[in-house]
Amino acid sequence: MSDKGEKVIAEIHDIHNTPPGEWSLKRVLPDTGIPWYKRRHLLLLNLGMIIPYLSSTTNGYDGSMLNGLQSMSQWQNFFGSPTGTRLGSLSNGVIFGQILAFPIAPWLCDHTGRRFPIFIGSALLVIGAILQCAAQNYGMFLASRMIIGFGGLIAVEASPLLVSELAYPTHRSVLVGYYNNLWYLGALLAAWVTYGTYFMGPDASWAWRIPSLLQGFFPLVQVVFIYLLPESPRYLVQKDRYDEARKVLTKYHAGGDENSELVDFEMKEIILHIQASKSASRTGYREFLSTKGNLHRLFIIITVPCMMQLSGNGLIAYYLHLILNSIGLTSDPQQLRINGGLTVFNLGVSIILASFMEIVGRRRLFLFSTVGMLTCYVIWTILSAINEQRDFHDTSLGTGVIFMIFMYQLFYNAGLNGPPWVYVTEILPTHLRAKGTNIMQIAATCVILFNGYANPVAMDAISWKYYIVYCCVIAIEIVLVYFGFPETKGHSLEEVSMIFDGEKAFGVASEKENSAVV
């Protein structure tokens, strides 16, 4: 080990006065007694997170918009009332575009930073929204959705990385948790926009063209404002741009204080962690198979997106109209009002629950969520079965199903809306974060493809009996969380690595690499 490498470790030990494995942010966090919203640099930083949040908002708008369009006679008539695999292809059009973007998104994040992928992905989303609005037939509508998926994946992969790596240490979990919650803001707007435009008239194609065009609004905001945010300091350190990274941390975490102990700690911890990662790094994605800790990470980043998409929520997100049809609620305005009310409920509940993430912890929220979802799905299934047996004449049973849908969403939001992105971004080391989130997106896409084709076909064929499949899936998820998800709350991004790698997370890099540290 070089003298410079020893110096960095010695300085960190001096700050903490504790051995490796017991390092803590608490020793260097400033105690000003002033709430964060009265500290200008933290207020501006946290407000700036709205820009990457809009990637999630656009994603939510898409799912809710398609739900709304399916309840519109104008859209159904224009495209010939698509059903089965034809309807599944429209739902999965975004997924087809995402598949094409998989090899590109992590490369852009690793080689151009976090801001440029958000910029270029959002620009493509704007183009896709314009083409979607102008669609003249089924094929053009499908092609526009593929462009939306291609650009959307690039922006979605980079956005939570920027939030996670730029956030103030004690704000990170809540801020990243809010990222996915803003999905419901887009869903809410799409639900009520489609409800409003529905009344333009039975032959008005603008009833569905206006919601399609508005899908490009939030990406346009990102294109204009994304470069007002600084680049990720962890990305800058990874590219050996230490001075730039320090300036970012000094300005946004310390309010310009050049002598901040917090900035010293963050810089040294980030440098040590990234240098150790580079020293141990293998080639590309194979590194996930190289150590026990990385295999554990791989298990989690595949399991989490499967839980997010395979817990029955796909039925509600894209095929709510089929669920409502199955309990005898077939009126277009009635379905649109329920869809809109559900998005309002989801947005409020998800934001409230995300605020408890650092108090309760990730693991407990995952368990609370899965157990609650299973309970709701079992009751939901029973009520649907009885309702069908009574030929949908008992309106109280239909009301009970709707109540269970709302309760299910409460439990889903508790563990599978905010916590997943927090958990995945914090368990991955910096040099694997982009690749890991790409694997997460690939796993999610595989499940969404299943949802897109299997759900409408199964719902048409066996109706409520299909819910039994999801009851079994959620039961398996409870077991996987209980035995495979460690708690990570209360740690910095670098400290979380010690849960998986032990003290190797802060191992000493080679002499050549250490020579670049100072």
Side-chain angles (χ1 to χ4, degrees):
M1 175 173 48
S2 69
D3 292 340
K4 292 181 180 179
E6 291 176 341
K7 180 181 177 182
V8 173
I9 295 177
E11 287 175 341
I12 292 180
H13 284 192
D14 181 59
I15 287 177
H16 297 290
N17 195 28
T18 53
E22 298 179 15
W23 300 340
S24 173
L25 274 170
K26 294 179 182 179
R27 294 176 177 269
V28 292
L29 285 172
D31 185 13
T32 62
I34 303 173
W36 68 266
Y37 50 85
K38 293 185 178 180
R39 297 163 70 183
R40 185 174 182 274
H41 60 286
L42 293 182
L43 179 62
L44 291 176
L45 176 62
N46 290 348
L47 288 176
M49 296 301 182
I50 293 173
I51 300 171
Y53 282 172
L54 294 181
S55 296
S56 181
T57 303
T58 302
N59 205 16
Y61 186 98
D62 179 77
S64 184
M65 181 196 72
L66 193 61
N67 241 340
L69 296 186
Q70 290 176 66
S71 295
M72 278 186 172
S73 57
Q74 299 97 323
W75 184 85
Q76 293 284 0
N77 293 337
F78 192 92
F79 291 104
S81 299
T83 58
T85 57
R86 189 172 172 84
L87 175 59
S89 293
L90 287 183
S91 299
N92 285 332
V94 169
I95 305 303
F96 300 148
Q98 289 178 351
I99 291 173
L100 297 176
F102 280 141
I104 300 171
W107 185 92
L108 284 173
C109 290
D110 285 339
H111 291 83
T112 67
R114 312 313 193 202
R115 295 180 300 178
F116 178 73
I118 297 175
F119 173 84
I120 192 65
S122 298
L124 289 170
L125 273 163
V126 173
I127 295 171
I130 294 172
L131 293 175
Q132 184 175 243
C133 169
Q136 299 300 309
N137 51 52
Y138 177 91
M140 187 173 176
F141 193 84
L142 178 59
S144 67
R145 292 186 58 73
M146 291 178 66
I147 295 173
I148 288 171
F150 185 86
L153 181 96
I154 294 173
V156 163
E157 284 213 6
S159 294
L161 301 188
L162 182 60
V163 175
S164 178
E165 296 173 358
L166 189 58
Y168 191 71
T170 56
H171 297 173
R172 176 177 50 82
S173 62
V174 173
L175 287 175
V176 180
Y178 283 158
Y179 168 79
N180 213 40
N181 292 339
L182 268 290
W183 191 97
Y184 289 122
L185 175 61
L188 183 152
L189 293 173
W192 289 109
V193 166
T194 53
Y195 178 73
T197 59
Y198 169 80
F199 295 100
M200 294 179 70
D203 299 320
S205 68
W206 280 104
W208 62 266
R209 293 187 191 277
I210 289 175
S212 297
L213 181 62
L214 288 177
Q215 189 168 358
F217 174 73
F218 292 119
L220 181 60
V221 172
Q222 290 180 290
V223 168
V224 175
F225 293 108
I226 186 59
Y227 279 98
L228 294 181
L229 277 177
E231 186 55 85
S232 159
R234 287 170 173 83
Y235 167 78
L236 294 173
V237 169
Q238 192 173 14
K239 297 301 179 181
D240 298 332
R241 294 156 62 181
Y242 303 110
D243 290 341
E244 294 176 60
R246 175 174 280 277
K247 287 179 181 178
V248 170
L249 292 173
T250 299
K251 180 178 180 179
Y252 291 96
H253 286 193
D257 181 5
E258 298 284 352
N259 300 313
S260 168
E261 285 190 346
L262 173 62
V263 172
D264 288 339
F265 168 78
E266 288 187 284
M267 279 298 297
K268 292 166 186 174
E269 191 175 50
I270 292 169
I271 290 171
L272 260 186
H273 178 67
I274 289 178
Q275 291 291 354
S277 298
K278 286 181 178 180
S279 177
S281 182
R282 305 296 192 273
T283 304
Y285 289 91
R286 286 181 295 174
E287 186 168 349
F288 282 101
L289 305 176
S290 64
T291 67
K292 182 179 179 181
N294 283 346
L295 283 171
H296 193 176
R297 290 184 176 100
L298 182 62
F299 162 76
I300 290 174
I301 62 178
I302 291 176
T303 301
V304 165
C306 289
M307 291 171 59
M308 292 173 69
Q309 303 296 338
L310 202 58
S311 297
N313 55 302
L315 284 176
I316 300 173
Y318 285 92
Y319 303 107
L320 180 61
H321 76 295
L322 295 180
I323 296 174
L324 298 178
N325 286 343
S326 73
I327 58 174
L329 299 176
T330 58
S331 165
D332 288 359
Q334 190 177 36
Q335 290 192 359
L336 289 167
R337 284 195 296 271
I338 293 173
N339 185 34
L342 190 61
T343 56
V344 173
F345 174 80
N346 283 333
L347 178 62
V349 165
S350 62
I351 290 176
I352 293 171
L353 291 172
S355 303
F356 292 94
M357 198 177 308
E358 196 60 31
I359 299 173
V360 179
R362 288 46 145 174
R363 173 183 162 85
R364 288 180 180 176
L365 283 177
F366 280 127
L367 287 172
F368 173 76
S369 174
T370 49
V371 171
M373 287 191 301
L374 178 60
T375 303
C376 290
Y377 241 102
V378 169
I379 298 173
W380 176 357
T381 303
I382 294 171
L383 291 176
S384 297
I386 298 173
N387 199 25
E388 184 181 74
Q389 290 174 359
R390 297 182 181 178
D391 201 24
F392 308 113
H393 292 312
D394 191 340
T395 57
S396 63
L397 291 172
T399 302
V401 170
I402 294 174
F403 178 74
M404 279 299 110
I405 291 174
F406 276 78
M407 289 302 299
Y408 166 86
Q409 288 295 129
L410 185 150
F411 287 109
Y412 178 87
N413 289 325
L416 295 183
N417 189 47
W421 277 110
V422 177
Y423 201 58
V424 168
T425 55
E426 69 187 4
I427 69 171
L428 291 165
T430 300
H431 72 292
L432 290 178
R433 197 164 287 132
K435 294 182 177 66
T437 55
N438 197 46
I439 293 174
M440 179 183 180
Q441 291 287 357
I442 291 172
T445 296
C446 292
V447 180
I448 292 173
L449 280 171
F450 168 81
N451 284 339
Y453 285 111
N455 285 345
V457 174
M459 283 295 294
D460 285 342
I462 59 176
S463 188
W464 64 267
K465 299 179 184 67
Y466 187 47
Y467 304 151
I468 298 173
V469 174
Y470 286 114
C471 291
C472 298
V473 171
I474 298 171
I476 294 172
E477 291 173 358
I478 295 172
V479 177
L480 294 178
V481 170
Y482 186 83
F483 290 103
F485 284 37
E487 186 55 74
T488 56
K489 74 168 184 174
H491 299 287
S492 71
L493 286 177
E494 284 67 39
E495 289 169 341
V496 169
S497 291
M498 299 187 69
I499 296 174
F500 293 86
D501 303 319
E503 293 184 12
K504 291 180 181 179
F506 288 96
V508 180
S510 67
E511 182 167 336
K512 179 180 179 181
E513 292 168 329
N514 277 325
S515 66
V517 172
V518 183

